[in-house]
Amino acid sequence: MKAPGIYCLKGFFVVAMCNIVSVNAQESAFTPPSGGWDYLYGGDQLIVGAADSGFSSLDGTWSHDNGSDEWDGSEIGGTTGPGNSPGGVSQVTDGDLQYIRIQDTGDPRDYGYSDPGSNRKIYFGHDMSLNGASPTVLDGGVTLTFRARIPTPAAGGPLDPLHRDGQQDAGVQDYPEDGDGYVTSDGGKGNFVIKQDSGGAIAFSLTQLSDTNGGNPTSGLANFAGLTMNEFNGNQVSGSVNFGQGSATNLVEFDPTEWHEMWIVLREDQSDIGTHQGFIYKDGDTTPQVFRITAGTGSDYSGFSYLAIGATATPQNAALDIDFVGYKLGAHFPEGAGLPPDIRDLSPETGKIMHAAADGISFTAITEIPGQSIPENGITLMLNGEDVTSSLTITGDETSRSVSYDGLQSNRVYNGELTITDQDGNSVENPIFFDTYAPDNFVFEAEDFNFDGGQFIDNPVPSFDDFDNSYVDKGAVNGTQDIDYNELAPDDGDKIWRIPSGANLPQTAESPDFLRQKYIDTGIDPNTGDPDVPDYIVGWTVEEEWLNYTRTFPAGEWGVIGRFSNGGSGGSATFARVTNPTSASQTTEDLGMFTIPGTGSWDRYVWVMLTDDAGQPLVLNLDGEDTFRVTTGAGGYNSNFFMLIPASDLPVVDDPTPATLTL
């Protein structure tokens, strides 16, 4: 039995008359936490507050006055027109159950509707400070609960046809028979979100196989059904946590068109692998799935921590039924729940680049449950498909095991999984990925291309002051179009690194890639944690642009790898040797290609191997001064730096297709 609540029949305006009712619902699958939930909204309440009326919607404590909402206050269904755009929010009755249905049909503006109130995104926020939530509510621990599903036509209730973003030429489309879910977007926004005021948002979304992050139903399919959340993408709050931008491991598989009750415990990740840990319990099951989560940058309110529900991304379309949603401050586990062991002090951190192979892998496996233990055979490590558990060194006692592995090789990419299982079979799994490319490998930075008609600097330093040994002042005054570079895009403002900036200089920007030691060595700002001299990338590239790089290269046989990002479907770059690099009449010899995958975000960088026409890693025989050209192919990319690795360390590629090594 739900507690009595306000139930307001509504049309397309703010409803003034409400009745107090009591509504029966399905019994909860979990026993409520001790003392009850701090806040619980039931779908039997639907006040329509105006967009500018503050926190007056739903049960009177929610607002849809934010940058991610264009709800016009209308219900789903009826004759669409001014004041009743496609989609909306309705209350649905199914026997004794009353719940709300939120539907965003896409972008009705493409079909003749207009803002404000196009219903292209619908989003409600609830101020958690009303119940005592601190600005660091995620770090301190919070427990989220909801019962929800993706509606289907067979489930009953109103559903409007889709007005897919950018697909108006195909016309209005029927609502899918298997439902229309959502994938997390915009740096941690989704169906259910907790955002802490100090920074960091974690979202959970119900996702169907055919969902996409855009309006095109044939592009970027999720190919997953169940619960999705912020992806794991390191231990710093990041804008690159949306579906497809991280490790693609934060998934709970189930049929999202059926009602499911979730109990989710969020707390700071004490291991410092992610920013937070999530313990996901479903439908009364007291065995959790445990995830490392990276909090996102998405935000719609400031000055307080908040809970949000809805669908925020204009390019997406989605529908959601909510029976209830609520929270309790603190990390509260369900009655009788198991708590798996944990991993602490993991080195290297997941996603690290250029980890010293000699430092190996180390971590601590612990259990927080009194009387629980971790047997030595409960610790397993898989690396690149090989079980290396037998080579682990394990010390410590049964509640805290110190573990190390010393079998890493230099100039390798490692992908694997670490599993810790306690005596009762409770397990935690942690994906690990890093590389051991040697920091002293020869590197040339993408932003340090030639200047002054083929001039170059060997061993440049990252410095804003050392003009003799830095590329910082080698801007348009010193650069030569068609000799040092070919920039085709129109002037797009300051070029950040290569000053003095001028028209048509290739654009650079501060790098979001993993921070390398040489930039750490320039000094770190104690207030921001940023290096005094940041790393930079070359970005906003278009097809047929090119950059020349002259260096005195070390003698030997070498492979080349580069750090690239591509927020689209992928790109490519050709690699050529240049003759006459100081002349306008240069000739080139094509050598190989970088085939750059879509990385899910322009801020997420991966290693890409230079390959030959057969897809095998290309070997260069170098000895002294040489000039190479990198030319942008279709799709564009951002590039950070290029590295030489010994030919003896190159991988063998069996599949005769362009090969990439990605993290």
PDB file of all heavy atoms in Angstrom, residues 555-574:
ATOM      1  N   ALA A 555      68.699   5.592 -35.098  1.00  0.00           N
ATOM      2  CA  ALA A 555      68.953   4.525 -36.064  1.00  0.00           C
ATOM      3  C   ALA A 555      68.291   3.238 -35.601  1.00  0.00           C
ATOM      4  O   ALA A 555      68.250   2.911 -34.410  1.00  0.00           O
ATOM      5  CB  ALA A 555      70.453   4.308 -36.213  1.00  0.00           C
ATOM      6  N   GLY A 556      67.730   2.497 -36.566  1.00  0.00           N
ATOM      7  CA  GLY A 556      67.139   1.203 -36.254  1.00  0.00           C
ATOM      8  C   GLY A 556      65.856   0.963 -37.020  1.00  0.00           C
ATOM      9  O   GLY A 556      65.452   1.765 -37.874  1.00  0.00           O
ATOM     10  N   GLU A 557      65.220  -0.178 -36.740  1.00  0.00           N
ATOM     11  CA  GLU A 557      63.939  -0.528 -37.341  1.00  0.00           C
ATOM     12  C   GLU A 557      62.841  -0.265 -36.321  1.00  0.00           C
ATOM     13  O   GLU A 557      62.900  -0.760 -35.184  1.00  0.00           O
ATOM     14  CB  GLU A 557      63.932  -1.996 -37.779  1.00  0.00           C
ATOM     15  CG  GLU A 557      64.906  -2.274 -38.922  1.00  0.00           C
ATOM     16  CD  GLU A 557      64.764  -3.696 -39.448  1.00  0.00           C
ATOM     17  OE1 GLU A 557      64.264  -4.568 -38.693  1.00  0.00           O
ATOM     18  OE2 GLU A 557      65.149  -3.932 -40.611  1.00  0.00           O
ATOM     19  N   TRP A 558      61.834   0.510 -36.743  1.00  0.00           N
ATOM     20  CA  TRP A 558      60.832   1.008 -35.816  1.00  0.00           C
ATOM     21  C   TRP A 558      59.420   0.870 -36.371  1.00  0.00           C
ATOM     22  O   TRP A 558      59.199   0.989 -37.578  1.00  0.00           O
ATOM     23  CB  TRP A 558      61.079   2.500 -35.504  1.00  0.00           C
ATOM     24  CG  TRP A 558      62.460   2.808 -35.035  1.00  0.00           C
ATOM     25  CD1 TRP A 558      63.506   3.263 -35.784  1.00  0.00           C
ATOM     26  CD2 TRP A 558      62.954   2.675 -33.694  1.00  0.00           C
ATOM     27  NE1 TRP A 558      64.627   3.423 -35.010  1.00  0.00           N
ATOM     28  CE2 TRP A 558      64.320   3.075 -33.713  1.00  0.00           C
ATOM     29  CE3 TRP A 558      62.390   2.273 -32.491  1.00  0.00           C
ATOM     30  CZ2 TRP A 558      65.118   3.074 -32.579  1.00  0.00           C
ATOM     31  CZ3 TRP A 558      63.175   2.275 -31.353  1.00  0.00           C
ATOM     32  CH2 TRP A 558      64.517   2.671 -31.398  1.00  0.00           C
ATOM     33  N   GLY A 559      58.473   0.651 -35.466  1.00  0.00           N
ATOM     34  CA  GLY A 559      57.066   0.818 -35.765  1.00  0.00           C
ATOM     35  C   GLY A 559      56.618   2.167 -35.234  1.00  0.00           C
ATOM     36  O   GLY A 559      57.308   2.801 -34.430  1.00  0.00           O
ATOM     37  N   VAL A 560      55.465   2.627 -35.705  1.00  0.00           N
ATOM     38  CA  VAL A 560      54.933   3.921 -35.275  1.00  0.00           C
ATOM     39  C   VAL A 560      53.524   3.724 -34.732  1.00  0.00           C
ATOM     40  O   VAL A 560      52.691   3.055 -35.359  1.00  0.00           O
ATOM     41  CB  VAL A 560      54.895   4.940 -36.434  1.00  0.00           C
ATOM     42  CG1 VAL A 560      54.411   6.306 -35.937  1.00  0.00           C
ATOM     43  CG2 VAL A 560      56.264   5.060 -37.093  1.00  0.00           C
ATOM     44  N   ILE A 561      53.263   4.293 -33.560  1.00  0.00           N
ATOM     45  CA  ILE A 561      51.911   4.327 -33.019  1.00  0.00           C
ATOM     46  C   ILE A 561      51.567   5.777 -32.709  1.00  0.00           C
ATOM     47  O   ILE A 561      52.450   6.606 -32.486  1.00  0.00           O
ATOM     48  CB  ILE A 561      51.767   3.474 -31.742  1.00  0.00           C
ATOM     49  CG1 ILE A 561      52.806   3.867 -30.689  1.00  0.00           C
ATOM     50  CG2 ILE A 561      51.851   1.988 -32.064  1.00  0.00           C
ATOM     51  CD1 ILE A 561      52.646   3.123 -29.374  1.00  0.00           C
ATOM     52  N   GLY A 562      50.286   6.081 -32.754  1.00  0.00           N
ATOM     53  CA  GLY A 562      49.839   7.435 -32.472  1.00  0.00           C
ATOM     54  C   GLY A 562      48.671   7.429 -31.516  1.00  0.00           C
ATOM     55  O   GLY A 562      47.961   6.429 -31.380  1.00  0.00           O
ATOM     56  N   ARG A 563      48.475   8.551 -30.820  1.00  0.00           N
ATOM     57  CA  ARG A 563      47.320   8.730 -29.931  1.00  0.00           C
ATOM     58  C   ARG A 563      46.305   9.606 -30.661  1.00  0.00           C
ATOM     59  O   ARG A 563      46.572  10.773 -30.985  1.00  0.00           O
ATOM     60  CB  ARG A 563      47.746   9.395 -28.621  1.00  0.00           C
ATOM     61  CG  ARG A 563      48.618   8.533 -27.748  1.00  0.00           C
ATOM     62  CD  ARG A 563      47.863   7.388 -27.101  1.00  0.00           C
ATOM     63  NE  ARG A 563      47.001   7.833 -26.019  1.00  0.00           N
ATOM     64  CZ  ARG A 563      46.268   6.994 -25.275  1.00  0.00           C
ATOM     65  NH1 ARG A 563      46.288   5.685 -25.521  1.00  0.00           N
ATOM     66  NH2 ARG A 563      45.510   7.453 -24.309  1.00  0.00           N
ATOM     67  N   PHE A 564      45.138   9.013 -30.915  1.00  0.00           N
ATOM     68  CA  PHE A 564      44.096   9.686 -31.681  1.00  0.00           C
ATOM     69  C   PHE A 564      42.761   9.595 -30.952  1.00  0.00           C
ATOM     70  O   PHE A 564      42.531   8.681 -30.149  1.00  0.00           O
ATOM     71  CB  PHE A 564      43.920   9.026 -33.050  1.00  0.00           C
ATOM     72  CG  PHE A 564      45.083   9.161 -34.002  1.00  0.00           C
ATOM     73  CD1 PHE A 564      46.076   8.191 -34.059  1.00  0.00           C
ATOM     74  CD2 PHE A 564      45.165  10.244 -34.866  1.00  0.00           C
ATOM     75  CE1 PHE A 564      47.131   8.291 -34.947  1.00  0.00           C
ATOM     76  CE2 PHE A 564      46.223  10.359 -35.757  1.00  0.00           C
ATOM     77  CZ  PHE A 564      47.205   9.380 -35.799  1.00  0.00           C
ATOM     78  N   SER A 565      41.871  10.522 -31.302  1.00  0.00           N
ATOM     79  CA  SER A 565      40.473  10.399 -30.897  1.00  0.00           C
ATOM     80  C   SER A 565      39.594  10.724 -32.093  1.00  0.00           C
ATOM     81  O   SER A 565      39.998  11.457 -33.007  1.00  0.00           O
ATOM     82  CB  SER A 565      40.143  11.335 -29.732  1.00  0.00           C
ATOM     83  OG  SER A 565      40.055  12.685 -30.152  1.00  0.00           O
ATOM     84  N   ASN A 566      38.393  10.158 -32.080  1.00  0.00           N
ATOM     85  CA  ASN A 566      37.398  10.459 -33.106  1.00  0.00           C
ATOM     86  C   ASN A 566      36.021  10.254 -32.489  1.00  0.00           C
ATOM     87  O   ASN A 566      35.657   9.139 -32.138  1.00  0.00           O
ATOM     88  CB  ASN A 566      37.576   9.561 -34.342  1.00  0.00           C
ATOM     89  CG  ASN A 566      36.535   9.855 -35.416  1.00  0.00           C
ATOM     90  OD1 ASN A 566      35.387   9.490 -35.284  1.00  0.00           O
ATOM     91  ND2 ASN A 566      36.958  10.520 -36.477  1.00  0.00           N
ATOM     92  N   GLY A 567      35.287  11.340 -32.306  1.00  0.00           N
ATOM     93  CA  GLY A 567      33.974  11.246 -31.690  1.00  0.00           C
ATOM     94  C   GLY A 567      32.878  10.808 -32.628  1.00  0.00           C
ATOM     95  O   GLY A 567      31.719  10.689 -32.218  1.00  0.00           O
ATOM     96  N   GLY A 568      33.211  10.539 -33.885  1.00  0.00           N
ATOM     97  CA  GLY A 568      32.231  10.064 -34.851  1.00  0.00           C
ATOM     98  C   GLY A 568      32.353   8.567 -35.074  1.00  0.00           C
ATOM     99  O   GLY A 568      32.558   7.795 -34.143  1.00  0.00           O
ATOM    100  N   SER A 569      32.270   8.177 -36.327  1.00  0.00           N
ATOM    101  CA  SER A 569      32.310   6.749 -36.659  1.00  0.00           C
ATOM    102  C   SER A 569      33.703   6.279 -37.045  1.00  0.00           C
ATOM    103  O   SER A 569      33.886   5.125 -37.444  1.00  0.00           O
ATOM    104  CB  SER A 569      31.340   6.454 -37.812  1.00  0.00           C
ATOM    105  OG  SER A 569      31.656   7.243 -38.948  1.00  0.00           O
ATOM    106  N   GLY A 570      34.696   7.143 -36.924  1.00  0.00           N
ATOM    107  CA  GLY A 570      36.066   6.749 -37.235  1.00  0.00           C
ATOM    108  C   GLY A 570      36.674   7.642 -38.300  1.00  0.00           C
ATOM    109  O   GLY A 570      35.999   8.441 -38.958  1.00  0.00           O
ATOM    110  N   GLY A 571      37.980   7.519 -38.478  1.00  0.00           N
ATOM    111  CA  GLY A 571      38.687   8.314 -39.466  1.00  0.00           C
ATOM    112  C   GLY A 571      39.968   7.622 -39.885  1.00  0.00           C
ATOM    113  O   GLY A 571      40.218   6.464 -39.529  1.00  0.00           O
ATOM    114  N   SER A 572      40.796   8.319 -40.622  1.00  0.00           N
ATOM    115  CA  SER A 572      42.052   7.726 -41.077  1.00  0.00           C
ATOM    116  C   SER A 572      43.064   8.835 -41.339  1.00  0.00           C
ATOM    117  O   SER A 572      42.713  10.007 -41.487  1.00  0.00           O
ATOM    118  CB  SER A 572      41.854   6.896 -42.353  1.00  0.00           C
ATOM    119  OG  SER A 572      41.426   7.736 -43.421  1.00  0.00           O
ATOM    120  N   ALA A 573      44.328   8.426 -41.394  1.00  0.00           N
ATOM    121  CA  ALA A 573      45.406   9.340 -41.746  1.00  0.00           C
ATOM    122  C   ALA A 573      46.459   8.561 -42.504  1.00  0.00           C
ATOM    123  O   ALA A 573      46.782   7.428 -42.148  1.00  0.00           O
ATOM    124  CB  ALA A 573      46.013   9.967 -40.493  1.00  0.00           C
ATOM    125  N   THR A 574      46.999   9.153 -43.558  1.00  0.00           N
ATOM    126  CA  THR A 574      48.106   8.534 -44.273  1.00  0.00           C
ATOM    127  C   THR A 574      49.421   9.074 -43.726  1.00  0.00           C
ATOM    128  O   THR A 574      49.499  10.192 -43.221  1.00  0.00           O
ATOM    129  CB  THR A 574      48.020   8.799 -45.786  1.00  0.00           C
ATOM    130  OG1 THR A 574      47.999  10.212 -46.011  1.00  0.00           O
ATOM    131  CG2 THR A 574      46.774   8.165 -46.372  1.00  0.00           C
TER     132      THR A 574
END
